[in-house]
Amino acid sequence: MRDTVDPEFASYVDARQGRWLRTAYLVYGDLERAEEQLLRAFTRLSLRWDRVDDPDLFVQQLLYRSALSRWSRAKPFDGDEDQVKQALGALSAAQRAVLVLLHFEELTEFEVSDVLGMSHAAVHSHAQSSLSRFRLELGTGDWRDVTGREKQ
């Protein structure tokens, strides 16, 4: 076990922890769980720091894949009055993960496929269903309805 922290790893954590915490919060829907999973991801990364080619991808995979396997146990954003958070909480684990990766992290469907370990077809399907359900939960319905209302 090492007595000191690699300065490059410490710099990486310092630079990225805010971004990863925001993302983890959207994925898990609970700040405590998000912090716990981020700490777990950073701990695992620290043990492999010298062998990991892309630390961002490594952290993404740990955060999102563990979220998919644990999401069914707790309702995300439980008790939160924010309409957007409630709409995110109404999505399935896979739908929420795909939506956050595509629209918050701005990844392509192929990149999302790599992060989640899903086929491109599955990611595409989740992307369409998540956006449709998200809009429905927000009360906007079909995107054409939103643009029609804005013109009036």
Side-chain angles (χ1 to χ4, degrees):
M1 186 158 176
R2 290 181 264 180
D3 292 335
T4 61
V5 175
D6 183 314
E8 286 182 31
F9 172 74
S11 177
Y12 172 82
V13 170
D14 189 45
R16 298 289 204 293
Q17 67 184 346
R19 172 192 175 205
W20 289 125
L21 185 57
R22 284 188 299 276
T23 299
Y25 175 65
L26 291 174
V27 172
Y28 287 94
D30 178 84
L31 185 57
E32 188 174 313
R33 287 175 61 207
E35 289 172 338
E36 176 184 305
Q37 291 304 314
L38 183 58
L39 179 59
R40 181 178 164 269
F42 281 152
T43 301
R44 291 188 62 193
L45 176 61
S46 73
L47 298 173
R48 295 169 180 78
W49 180 251
D50 295 335
R51 298 182 304 266
V52 172
D53 293 328
D54 186 348
D56 286 336
L57 180 60
F58 186 84
V59 171
Q60 275 180 324
Q61 288 176 337
L62 288 174
L63 285 176
Y64 284 93
R65 289 182 183 181
S66 64
L68 291 178
S69 66
R70 297 172 188 234
W71 243 329
S72 60
R73 291 193 296 181
K75 183 168 177 8
F77 304 107
D78 194 27
D80 199 307
E81 298 298 320
D82 184 287
Q83 188 178 9
V84 172
K85 291 176 185 174
Q86 288 178 352
L88 280 172
L91 302 176
S92 72
Q95 288 175 327
R96 191 167 42 258
V98 169
L99 187 75
V100 170
L101 282 165
L102 286 173
H103 299 285
F104 185 74
E105 292 202 40
E106 299 179 346
L107 299 183
T108 67
E109 287 184 356
F110 290 104
E111 291 169 325
V112 173
S113 177
D114 289 341
V115 170
L116 297 179
M118 292 181 177
S119 70
H120 175 258
V123 169
H124 184 74
S125 175
H126 285 304
Q128 289 183 328
S129 64
S130 66
L131 197 52
S132 176
R133 175 99 188 260
F134 186 69
R135 287 179 175 140
L136 183 66
E137 292 293 327
L138 287 175
T140 59
D142 190 307
W143 67 271
R144 291 170 287 223
D145 294 339
V146 174
T147 57
R149 276 188 245 144
E150 288 174 356
K151 290 179 183 177
Q152 295 176 353

